[in-house]
Amino acid sequence: MTGATADLRRAGREALAMGNVEAVRRVAAALQSAPGGAAEAYFLLAVVEAGTGRTAAALELIRAAVAHAPSAEYEAQLARLLLSAGRDGEAREAAIRAETLRPTDALTFDTLGCVHTRLGSHADALRLFEQAVAHAPGNRNFRYNLAVELGFAGETDEAERHFDVILAAAPTDGRAHFALSGLRRQTPERNHIARLEQALAVAQNPDNRLRIGFALGKEYEECGQPAEALRHLQQAGEQRKEQSGYTFARDARLFDTVEHLFAGRPPLSGSSDPAAQPIFVVGMPRTGTTLVDRILSSHAKVRSAGELAAMPLAIKQAAATRTRAVADAETIAAARGQAASDVAAFYLARARQQPAVEGQRFVDKLPFNFLYVGFIRQAFPAAKIVCLRRDPMDTIWSNYRHLFADGSAFHDYSYDPEDIARYYLRFDRLIAFWREKFPGAVLELGYEDLIRDQAGETRRLLDHCELDWDENCLHFHEQDGAVATPSAAQVRRPLNADAIGQWRPHADALGAARRLIEDAAPGMTRPGSA
């Protein structure tokens, strides 16, 4: 690369960092005719296209960059874009190639760490994030990713140390406050309430205020101050609902479409491979799905694949709709007539990315797969489905008090107790629909029943999944391995009844939601074997 080409490269990177798209395009045009500059031109244009959501165009450009001059940086960006396109297997291959090309910059290490986190390869992600921070210790984003991954791995003290470093430099960083609060259960003797209140008092950024508010709600609740917890959660929930523009009508339409699609003959055509036996753990969020996933993956013949988006993406791919959402009424309706074998193939192409032991089965614990039970039954007739059931009011409160991940429209119902109650009732109705449609296919496992009779309910779970008894399933909390969900701290403890009845201190504030549940009670279903 000549000096002039190097100068153009620097100019392009500076324009990219500033978000000056026109300048990036001008520099890329100049690089195209500069000696050795074509690869960098394609790279810059790929990043611009990716930033506008044009993933297919970005993929073509980044592949051209790799073809002209293979590098760890270009391969890492290729892996990231492949992951965005739902091509997980190719993303993993690109990430492996990137490492063989010996990356030297912090951003590439961080990018590869993010790819491996999304792929569920948490040991690799942790190693790469550590390298990113070693190369750029002052970069708060890189340190945040490392701290989160340490939390997934159960390295709580080390994670907390990194979050404290971030907050020393940026006292109102809402992401760090929220993640730090979630690392463990807070106590009156050990908590972050004073620091959180100070941060909230001076924070200006709405996203920071939102996350600090939810962190305060959690910590006040766990420290026995329910009134203060509720005050912060109400303020934060109102802010989030206003931002999302959510109305329950959108989700009601989705439920209606699912029920209508499966009311008659099965909507998918043809048959699928009857041999595949994935295990799907579904249910409302915050009802014990991570707990059951942990119990099952403690079995010698089972591994956890985490919360896969593979089934919603498989239906989206089969339906070929152009709507922005993965799960919407239009996509569900357009799935009619698609081949069950295609859905199965699309699903398995995404789900089978983790290295597997011969003869081992995997658990997909995406809670919202309860919407896809009918598709699962057609695509995988031998699959096992377990649906978690929890007391409706505890479900409402637990959903309300938790801030779910950004960018997931699945959770937009969760910022108002009455919306959550309406959502719960439609969930309950849909499970009753599946029970009638597929008798015996779905094991409904009560969270409270599991707490009361761990051995008996665990045996019932294993029997349903056609698994032999394994004593390790009773000692799930001793299992090694990352837990990449908000329930990580809970599932590293033995079973306990701490979460039962948590809604009661807030009975007055939840009165309207409770009335919705009570009015519907005569028609509601009860946990049991569907």
Side-chain angles (χ1 to χ4, degrees):
M1 184 180 293
T2 67
T5 304
D7 288 343
L8 283 170
R9 182 185 186 279
R10 278 193 295 274
R13 297 296 177 115
E14 289 172 4
L16 200 60
M18 294 171 61
N20 190 336
V21 173
E22 289 307 313
V24 172
R25 294 190 187 279
R26 285 196 300 271
V27 171
L31 280 166
Q32 288 282 12
S33 56
E40 181 69 8
Y42 288 126
F43 167 78
L44 292 172
L45 293 172
V47 175
V48 168
E49 293 298 318
T52 61
R54 290 165 50 86
T55 303
L59 272 171
E60 286 187 29
L61 289 161
I62 198 67
R63 286 190 187 281
V66 168
H68 276 75
S71 74
E73 181 184 31
Y74 296 167
E75 288 281 12
Q77 292 300 321
L78 174 60
R80 181 179 69 86
L81 288 168
L82 286 166
L83 203 59
S84 296
R87 294 154 70 173
D88 295 8
E90 294 174 71
R92 186 182 297 279
E93 291 169 2
I96 292 170
R97 289 196 302 271
E99 283 209 71
T100 65
L101 292 169
R102 300 185 180 281
T104 58
D105 66 290
L107 179 58
T108 297
F109 283 120
D110 183 73
T111 300
L112 291 171
C114 292
V115 168
H116 280 293
T117 292
R118 289 272 305 277
L119 291 170
S121 303
H122 293 285
D124 288 325
L126 183 56
R127 171 177 55 81
L128 289 156
F129 288 141
E130 285 172 341
Q131 299 235 45
V133 171
H135 280 74
N139 188 299
R140 295 198 301 273
N141 286 330
F142 299 165
R143 191 176 292 274
Y144 172 84
N145 289 339
L146 172 59
V148 169
E149 194 62 56
L150 285 165
F152 290 165
E155 301 289 341
T156 305
D157 290 343
E158 187 66 6
E160 188 155 352
R161 183 180 72 80
H162 284 287
F163 283 128
D164 283 338
V165 171
I166 295 170
L167 291 170
T172 61
D173 188 319
R175 289 194 314 166
H177 279 298
F178 180 73
L180 174 60
S181 178
L183 284 176
R184 58 176 172 81
R185 185 176 178 83
Q186 310 300 316
T187 66
E189 297 75 28
R190 186 186 178 195
N191 60 72
H192 312 100
I193 288 174
R195 182 166 68 177
L196 286 165
E197 289 284 15
Q198 290 172 357
L200 186 63
V202 297
Q204 299 296 317
N205 180 281
D207 286 342
N208 285 337
R209 292 185 60 81
L210 178 77
R211 287 168 175 77
I212 294 168
F214 270 96
L216 277 164
K218 175 184 182 295
E219 299 215 3
Y220 274 122
E221 179 79 6
E222 292 175 347
C223 292
Q225 299 183 60
E228 286 299 306
L230 182 65
R231 179 172 67 85
H232 283 289
L233 290 172
Q234 285 175 331
Q235 291 173 354
E238 288 169 5
Q239 176 189 337
R240 191 58 177 262
K241 183 175 179 179
E242 183 177 354
Q243 288 175 340
S244 71
Y246 174 80
T247 62
F248 178 70
R250 187 192 70 195
D251 279 325
R253 183 167 174 245
L254 179 59
F255 280 101
D256 288 343
T257 303
V258 171
E259 292 177 6
H260 177 75
L261 187 67
F262 284 91
R265 60 182 177 81
L268 299 182
S269 64
S271 59
S272 185
D273 181 359
Q277 285 189 294
I279 301 170
F280 293 87
V281 176
V282 308
M284 285 280 288
R286 313 296 295 163
T287 58
T289 53
T290 300
L291 169 62
V292 170
D293 173 61
R294 197 74 167 173
I295 291 170
L296 286 168
S297 59
S298 297
H299 195 284
K301 295 182 179 179
V302 180
R303 66 182 176 88
S304 173
E307 293 189 2
L308 300 176
M311 183 53 67
L313 285 169
I315 296 302
K316 186 72 174 179
Q317 186 170 351
T321 54
R322 301 181 67 85
T323 53
R324 291 180 63 85
V326 172
D328 55 27
E330 289 78 9
T331 298
I332 296 296
R336 181 180 295 282
Q338 305 304 318
S341 57
D342 285 348
V343 171
F346 295 154
Y347 175 86
L348 291 174
R350 291 183 172 89
R352 287 179 171 166
Q353 299 305 323
Q354 295 281 334
V357 176
E358 185 67 28
Q360 206 174 42
R361 293 163 66 190
F362 69 87
V363 180
D364 178 346
K365 68 154 296 272
L366 182 71
F368 293 98
N369 274 331
F370 67 76
L371 290 163
Y372 294 85
V373 166
F375 293 118
I376 292 168
R377 290 291 300 157
Q378 280 203 264
F380 300 108
K384 300 301 176 182
I385 306 172
V386 180
C387 180
L388 268 294
R389 308 302 304 266
R390 187 182 180 186
D391 174 84
M393 292 308 300
D394 273 331
T395 299
I396 291 167
W397 174 248
S398 190
N399 274 254
Y400 183 54
R401 71 191 288 263
H402 185 76
L403 177 62
F404 292 100
D406 285 346
S408 174
F410 276 127
H411 301 100
D412 281 350
Y413 67 88
S414 66
Y415 307 115
D416 182 300
E418 291 179 67
D419 285 336
I420 305 171
R422 294 184 185 96
Y423 195 96
Y424 180 93
L425 292 171
R426 287 309 305 266
F427 156 78
D428 182 77
R429 187 175 113 181
L430 182 60
I431 299 306
F433 177 84
W434 296 136
R435 186 187 306 118
E436 181 179 348
K437 196 74 180 174
F438 307 111
V442 181
L443 174 70
E444 294 179 66
L445 195 66
Y447 174 79
E448 293 82 5
D449 293 337
L450 187 57
I451 300 299
R452 283 190 286 265
D453 182 11
Q454 180 182 2
E457 291 301 290
T458 299
R459 188 174 297 279
R460 193 161 76 96
L461 170 66
L462 297 182
D463 286 348
H464 176 76
C465 295
E466 297 183 0
L467 292 164
D468 296 332
W469 176 255
D470 187 332
E471 193 74 16
N472 289 322
C473 294
L474 297 179
H475 306 286
F476 63 89
H477 55 285
E478 300 171 1
Q479 179 184 337
D480 293 329
V483 183
T485 78
S487 303
Q490 293 97 309
V491 299
R492 291 195 173 99
R493 302 164 59 205
L495 276 188
N496 60 79
D498 290 355
I500 296 177
Q502 285 186 338
W503 70 276
R504 293 190 181 281
H506 310 284
D508 289 344
L510 297 175
R514 187 180 184 185
R515 284 190 291 276
L516 286 170
I517 297 296
E518 289 176 343
D519 288 347
M524 288 176 62
T525 60
R526 295 287 181 263
S529 183

